[in-house]
């Protein structure tokens, strides 16, 4: 009962939707398109894409029927851990590059804000730039 109630309360929140927009933080910011281009180039020069392979070992618990109870301590099922190796590629400079980009945009008079869609409807259009976040 409690799980069902929690689910019905959580679904509308998840479906309400949020979006991110760049908003002016001062009266005379640098043109948004110009700022976006300059900041992107600057951030990519300072923190170029640097992909590295990450290796990780996970352990998964496996439970299976036991055919010979004497091997399983008299139990019907036996449980054991299985190693799973994962490798994936990640850009180790991604966080620094994004932070540099946001700092540059701030210096040019813009701030990225995330709001629910109904909150944006109340914000005057003169303060919003509704183009791409990057």
């Amino acid at each position: 009962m409690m799980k069902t109630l929690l689910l019905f309360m959580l679904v509308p929140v998840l479906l309400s939707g949020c979006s991110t927009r760049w908003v002016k933080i001062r009266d005379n910011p640098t043109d948004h398109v110009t700022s976006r281009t300059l900041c992107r180039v600057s951030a990519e020069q300072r923190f170029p894409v640097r992909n590295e392979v990450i290796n990780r070992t996970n352990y998964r618990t496996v439970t299976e029927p036991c055919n010979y109870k004497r091997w399983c301590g008299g139990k019907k099922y036996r449980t054991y851990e299985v190693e799973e190796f994962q490798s994936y590629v990640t850009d180790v400079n991604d966080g620094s590059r994004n932070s540099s980009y946001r700092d540059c945009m701030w210096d040019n008079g813009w701030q990225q804000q995330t709001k629910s869609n109904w909150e944006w409807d109340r914000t005057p259009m003169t303060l919003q730039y509704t183009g791409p976040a990057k």
Side-chain angles (χ1 to χ4, degrees):
M1 177 68 177
M2 188 64 162
K3 288 182 182 178
T4 305
L5 181 60
L6 182 62
L7 181 66
F8 281 112
M9 291 172 55
L10 188 59
V11 168
V13 172
L14 294 175
L15 294 177
S16 67
C18 291
S19 61
T20 302
R21 298 181 185 177
W22 288 99
V23 294
K24 296 177 185 179
I25 55 173
R26 60 178 186 243
D27 291 335
N28 58 346
T30 307
D31 175 65
H32 185 268
V33 175
T34 303
S35 296
R36 195 175 70 206
T37 303
L38 292 174
C39 292
R40 183 178 48 80
V41 169
S42 172
E44 287 176 357
Q45 286 175 347
R46 289 185 65 203
F47 300 100
V49 174
R50 195 175 98 207
N51 290 329
E52 291 187 6
V53 176
I54 305 296
N55 297 309
R56 184 169 74 180
T57 303
N58 288 331
Y59 294 92
R60 181 173 52 97
T61 303
V62 176
T63 302
E64 61 183 25
C66 186
N67 295 330
Y68 304 101
K69 289 184 183 179
R70 62 188 164 124
W71 290 356
C72 304
K75 298 179 181 176
K76 293 182 180 182
Y77 294 91
R78 68 182 184 134
T79 303
Y80 56 95
E81 299 282 320
V82 176
E83 281 186 339
E84 293 180 339
F85 300 102
Q86 291 181 328
S87 292
Y88 58 94
V89 177
T90 187
D91 177 6
V92 295
N93 280 342
D94 186 55
S96 298
R97 188 172 45 256
N98 288 336
S99 179
S100 176
Y101 178 80
R102 282 190 304 274
D103 291 346
C104 177
M105 290 295 285
W106 176 273
D107 292 342
N108 284 296
W110 296 94
Q111 180 181 22
Q112 195 174 28
Q113 290 184 351
T114 302
K115 294 183 181 181
S116 66
N117 290 330
W118 65 270
E119 286 179 299
W120 282 119
D121 292 341
R122 297 179 180 177
T123 306
M125 286 303 288
T126 57
L127 298 178
Q128 316 179 23
Y129 174 77
T130 57
K134 269 193 171 179

